[in-house]
Amino acid sequence: QVQVVESGGGLVQAGGSLRLSCAASGRRFSINAMGWYRQAPGKQRELVARIRTGGSTNYADSVTGRFTISRDNAKNTVYLQMNSLKLEDTAVYYCNVVYLYGPDTYNSWGQGTQVTVSS
């Protein structure tokens, strides 16, 4: 089983920036993709950004041009740089890791980190 730990959330004013980090750890696994999802109160969890092993990325339309996902493969760590934050970015942000263990593919989630954008 892969453990996923997020950090970097907090309170920021609109227009400000935050950087989230997520580290995956475990034994004998191979990461396929790492990504960030978010869930605001009363809403479904949605994909924010994802990066695959080869480096390809995809973003939600609402964050394109403001957020950047990056990855340190040697550290099994993914980052989400969030700039020009808006009130509607307020949510709990969850890190997701898709990994291979033997012949099978699994998902692991972090515990979530709160991001609050104030006016």
Side-chain angles (χ1 to χ4, degrees):
Q1 185 176 355
V2 170
Q3 289 76 46
V4 179
V5 178
E6 305 117 330
S7 60
L11 174 65
V12 63
Q13 287 191 323
S17 299
L18 279 176
R19 189 174 88 149
L20 306 182
S21 299
C22 167
S25 62
R27 296 184 63 187
R28 296 193 298 271
F29 69 100
S30 174
I31 294 178
N32 185 327
M34 300 181 78
W36 290 95
Y37 291 71
R38 67 186 181 188
Q39 187 167 19
K43 295 188 176 181
Q44 289 188 331
R45 189 173 298 190
E46 63 175 358
L47 174 68
V48 176
R50 179 170 50 208
I51 184 166
R52 294 172 180 80
T53 300
S56 62
T57 59
N58 59 291
Y59 294 89
D61 290 343
S62 59
V63 307
T64 297
R66 299 187 298 122
F67 291 10
T68 302
I69 190 169
S70 62
R71 179 173 162 182
D72 185 334
N73 290 330
K75 297 181 179 179
N76 289 331
T77 299
V78 66
Y79 306 96
L80 185 68
Q81 179 66 43
M82 304 185 292
N83 298 328
S84 302
L85 283 160
K86 303 177 180 180
L87 297 178
E88 52 264 40
D89 294 319
T90 295
V92 178
Y93 284 69
Y94 296 92
C95 180
N96 172 259
V97 178
V98 179
Y99 64 98
L100 303 174
Y101 185 80
D104 299 316
T105 300
Y106 298 87
N107 269 281
S108 278
W109 292 88
Q111 78 286 355
T113 185
Q114 177 71 46
V115 172
T116 303
V117 184
S118 64
S119 59

